Amino acid sequence: MNDETGGNTEPLHQVRADWSEDAVTVYQAYRPEIGRPAARDGRFPVAWKRDRMTWIKPSFLWMTYRCGWAAKEGQETVLAVRIRREGFEWALRNACLSHYVRGLHEDRASWSRRLRRAPARVQWDPERDLRMRALPHRSLQLGLAGEAAARYADEWIVGIEDVTPRVREIRARLSAGDEAGAAELLPPEREYPLDREACAHLLP
């Protein structure tokens, strides 16, 4: 997404991710009873709740911010979930913004109806740097429910890795004042080539 604003050449809303021709990595944090079996088996265990909305995040640093470097209760295991790009893009095409935006939506009532029907929703939050400071551009959070959550769990996943040790090592290096060493451990994220026309309904 490349919605440049003012004199700032950095897109305000962008998806940056570790991606390849066929797949994209998204992150989630779970309690160990969910995260460890998922990484071991390459799929979510029976205890994973399919009837709840599950949020995936392409940004590694936003995930570390959200889970407090894997220290928050219930978020002690950070997973890197590799999913098929066609699934990721299906979710975006069928998503609705999580909040009403005048001018983007016809009116509040139509937005509310679409939100109730949509199998996915998008939220934009300030991206974070290594020190967890907010950056000027926004990072994508993608919520999956119903059909989208089922497709995610059963069709889109091509691999799951427990990256908790990496998260903790990055934090340890930062605590030791080794910011360059911490940065070396970050995944290679770059702008994801979204179809901007197909995703125009997600740009506030």
Side-chain angles (χ1 to χ4, degrees):
M1 295 181 183
N2 282 321
D3 50 325
E4 296 183 1
T5 58
N8 183 8
T9 58
E10 189 78 27
L12 177 59
H13 299 88
Q14 63 179 224
V15 177
R16 296 187 64 82
D18 177 7
W19 57 274
S20 65
E21 182 178 349
D22 301 317
V24 57
T25 298
V26 295
Y27 298 94
Q28 296 192 285
Y30 289 100
R31 63 184 189 276
E33 306 90 272
I34 298 290
R36 289 173 184 167
R40 181 192 65 220
D41 301 332
R43 62 182 294 117
F44 289 111
V46 173
W48 187 76
K49 301 296 185 183
R50 290 171 173 266
D51 56 347
R52 291 183 180 177
M53 179 164 290
T54 188
W55 289 88
I56 59 177
K57 305 157 184 68
S59 166
F60 177 85
L61 282 176
W62 206 93
M63 181 71 262
T64 59
Y65 167 74
R66 180 67 180 83
C67 70
W69 296 100
K72 289 186 179 179
E73 184 177 359
Q75 301 185 55
E76 302 92 342
T77 306
V78 181
L79 302 178
V81 185
R82 200 78 173 161
I83 63 174
R84 302 182 195 281
R85 280 181 59 178
E86 63 227 47
F88 181 64
E89 291 171 7
W90 179 91
L92 290 172
R93 288 194 306 271
N94 290 279
C96 179
L97 273 180
S98 61
H99 64 284
Y100 168 72
V101 177
R102 180 179 295 179
L104 184 64
H105 302 113
E106 182 179 351
D107 52 48
R108 191 176 293 273
S110 62
W111 161 78
S112 182
R113 286 193 297 271
R114 178 167 182 170
L115 184 66
R116 287 195 300 270
R117 294 194 304 265
R121 61 183 58 180
V122 160
Q123 182 172 303
W124 295 99
D125 295 286
E127 181 59 284
R128 303 284 161 167
D129 66 9
L130 262 173
R131 294 293 182 180
M132 299 295 102
R133 294 169 296 208
L135 295 173
H137 56 276
R138 303 247 163 187
S139 182
L140 175 83
Q141 325 307 320
L142 180 59
L144 308 175
E147 181 184 1
R151 289 189 179 208
Y152 172 61
D154 298 331
E155 301 174 17
W156 300 346
I157 294 174
V158 296
I160 303 178
E161 179 186 0
D162 182 350
V163 293
T164 313
R166 181 192 291 195
V167 170
R168 292 177 175 159
E169 177 61 21
I170 291 173
R171 188 178 193 185
R173 293 189 183 191
L174 285 172
S175 298
D178 183 12
E179 191 159 333
E184 289 177 354
L185 293 178
L186 294 176
E189 295 176 359
R190 56 200 169 109
E191 187 173 2
Y192 186 86
L194 286 176
D195 182 335
R196 285 176 286 163
E197 290 188 9
C199 294
H201 62 295
L202 302 176
L203 287 171

